[in-house]
Amino acid sequence: MSGTLRCVLVAVDGSEESMNALNWALNNLNLRSPSSDSDSDPGGQFIILHVQSPPSIAAGINPGAIPFGGPSDLEVPAFTAAIESHQRRITESILSHALKICSDKNVKNVKTEVIIGDAKEKICEAVENLNADLLVMGSRAFGPIKRMFLGSVSNYCTNHAVCPVMIVKNTS
């Protein structure tokens, strides 16, 4: 793979496992070099992808708007707005940490993407939309019971992504 990858998508969720996957990608993958005779070929890039859960999933319920009295059709969407604001702060923190890892390794060809939705489906959509050559992600190694209830994003992506998928397991 050395030197032939144009787009490597690394999915991060803030977990230690996803940051280990980012470190692995930065340490082990060489991207296509820019053409020396062409300004239009920027070479390869790492894309750090974070998928935010929709507010209703983050809350664990679908709270809708919060009525505050008066006419029944007048509602205040304060609960959803508060969740969205909190999620934005979390996303900024996750991406900031990921970009610091890239900066510490002196990697400059990095772009970030944020998508809202179901992680496993949105990661696979991003792989296709961004024409990724490789998807790199961490594995939380849930046991069979947790995996049955929570699902496995890495397993889903391995079976549905339109490019090769590298699952980086925790080294501890």
Side-chain angles (χ1 to χ4, degrees), residues 47-114:
I47 298 177
I48 299 171
L49 174 71
H50 176 69
V51 181
Q52 284 184 349
S53 298
S56 61
I57 292 174
I61 56 173
N62 187 358
I66 300 172
F68 66 90
S72 61
D73 61 340
L74 193 56
E75 298 176 334
V76 177
F79 188 66
T80 300
I83 292 172
E84 288 172 350
S85 175
H86 181 68
Q87 285 181 297
R88 274 192 299 277
R89 287 191 304 272
I90 291 170
T91 296
E92 289 168 6
S93 177
I94 290 168
L95 293 178
S96 175
H97 181 64
L99 289 171
K100 181 172 180 347
I101 290 171
C102 296
S103 176
D104 290 348
K105 294 185 178 297
N106 220 14
V107 176
K108 307 227 184 298
N109 50 344
V110 178
K111 180 179 161 187
T112 60
E113 291 278 334
V114 177

